[in-house]
Amino acid sequence: MSPEITKHNGKVQVAPLRSMPPLERFTPVTPHLAISPTVSVVVPAMNEAENLPHVFATLPQWIDEIVLVDGNSVDDTVNVARRLRPNVKIVTQTGKGKGDALAAGFAACTGDIIVMIDADGSTDGHEIITFVGALVTGADFVKGSRYAAGGGSDDLTFSRRFGNKVLTGLVNVMYGTQYTDLCYGYNAFWARHLDVLDLDCDGFEVETLMNVRAAKAGLKIHEVPSHERNRIHGESNLRAIRDGMRVLKTILREWRRQPATPLPEPAAAPAADRGVA
C-alpha cells in the first residue's frame, strides 16, 4: 500500500498510510484472493426441502454465515438445512411473504456484507463472489441483472419479461437510474445500509423497494450479470399481474416519500482497504 499524495495550494501533501486489517481477518476465497469483510447469505424458504441440497451446494465454503428464514414450512426444510450445514442459523418467520422473510433474515445477520438469494434453485451461489467483489471495490449496493451482458434467464415468461421491462423503464425515468433489471431477487449490500433500505413490505415487491430506496439514498449502485435458472422442484408463488400491480404501487408510493439519508462512510475503512488482498 502506498500513501495518498495530493496537492494543496501548490504544495505536495502526503497522507499517512491507512492501517490494513490484521491477517486473521482475511478469509481465503481463491489461492490468489482473500477478503476481510464477513459475508452473510440470507435464504428465505417455505417448503423447499427438495431444492435446498442443490442451493446449498452452490454456496461458497468461505462465506461466514447462512441465515435460513423458514416460512413455517410443512415439509422437512429446516431439518434438511441443518443436515447440509450444521452451523446454519434458522429464523422462523412470524409474518408472511418474501419481503417480511427478508427483513427477518437481515435483522439476524452478523456479517459486514449481506447477500440475498432464493431457495428454489433459480439463483446460483457461485455468483456470490461477483457481488462481493463489486462491494469491496467501492459499491454500496450490488444488484443482479438478467439483462446485463453475460446474464440471462431460463424462467422469464413473455408477461414477466414485458412487465419487468415496463416497470424498469418507469423507475429509470422517475428516479434517474439506469437499471436494466428491476424485479430480480439476487442482491448484495453492506449491512450498514440496512437502515436506509428499511424494509416495510411483505411481498415480491421487496426487490423493487430495495432498488428504489438505494437510489433515493444516493448509494453507489452496481449491476452485475446473473443467470436465472428454472425452479428445480415445486411451484412458484409469484403471480405476474397481482405482483406487478404491487410493484407499481410501491414505485408510486416511494415517489411521494422523502428520500432517506445515507449513513456516512466509516472513516477507518475506505473501499480500497476493507476488501481484498
Side-chain angles (χ1 to χ4, degrees), residues 110-276:
T110 61
D112 302 314
I113 288 172
I114 298 175
V115 183
M116 50 187 271
I117 69 170
D118 291 332
D120 59 4
S122 61
T123 46
D124 185 357
H126 293 110
E127 295 177 355
I128 288 177
I129 185 58
T130 306
F131 289 79
V132 171
L135 288 169
V136 300
T137 52
D140 295 314
F141 184 92
V142 180
K143 54 191 301 297
S145 173
R146 294 162 291 185
Y147 299 99
S153 176
D154 303 328
D155 190 45
L156 278 176
T157 62
F158 173 80
S159 58
R160 288 179 58 203
R161 189 183 299 274
F162 177 77
N164 189 30
K165 183 177 181 179
V166 171
L167 293 168
T168 302
L170 182 62
V171 165
N172 286 341
V173 170
M174 293 178 67
Y175 297 97
T177 53
Q178 295 181 327
Y179 294 153
T180 63
D181 200 349
L182 185 69
C183 308
Y184 188 44
Y186 207 164
N187 300 296
F189 55 92
W190 290 99
R192 65 173 179 273
H193 296 309
L194 268 175
D195 289 344
V196 167
L197 300 176
D198 187 28
L199 300 190
D200 55 2
C201 66
D202 297 330
F204 287 100
E205 69 274 15
V206 62
E207 293 100 358
T208 295
L209 180 70
M210 295 176 70
N211 291 335
V212 168
R213 287 188 176 170
K216 288 174 65 177
L219 300 186
K220 299 174 185 175
I221 302 170
H222 187 75
E223 281 192 338
V224 296
S226 177
H227 192 99
E228 179 186 38
R229 271 82 177 170
N230 289 313
R231 164 182 277 275
I232 302 173
H233 299 285
E235 295 183 2
S236 173
N237 293 317
L238 179 67
R239 298 294 178 266
I241 296 177
R242 177 199 67 186
D243 294 307
M245 291 303 299
R246 293 184 65 143
V247 168
L248 178 59
K249 290 179 181 178
T250 297
I251 294 170
L252 299 177
R253 183 192 70 193
E254 287 301 304
W255 179 253
R256 296 189 290 267
R257 288 171 57 113
Q258 292 296 319
T261 302
L263 297 178
E265 184 82 9
D273 288 353
R274 61 174 181 243
V276 295

Side-chain angles (χ1 to χ4, degrees), residues 77-114:
T77 291
V78 171
N79 289 333
V80 169
R82 286 182 171 144
R83 185 170 67 248
L84 295 169
R85 294 287 180 98
N87 62 342
V88 66
K89 181 182 290 186
I90 304 294
V91 175
T92 301
Q93 186 179 358
T94 56
K96 293 183 178 180
K98 185 177 183 180
D100 179 83
L102 286 174
F106 294 165
C109 289
T110 61
D112 302 314
I113 288 172
I114 298 175

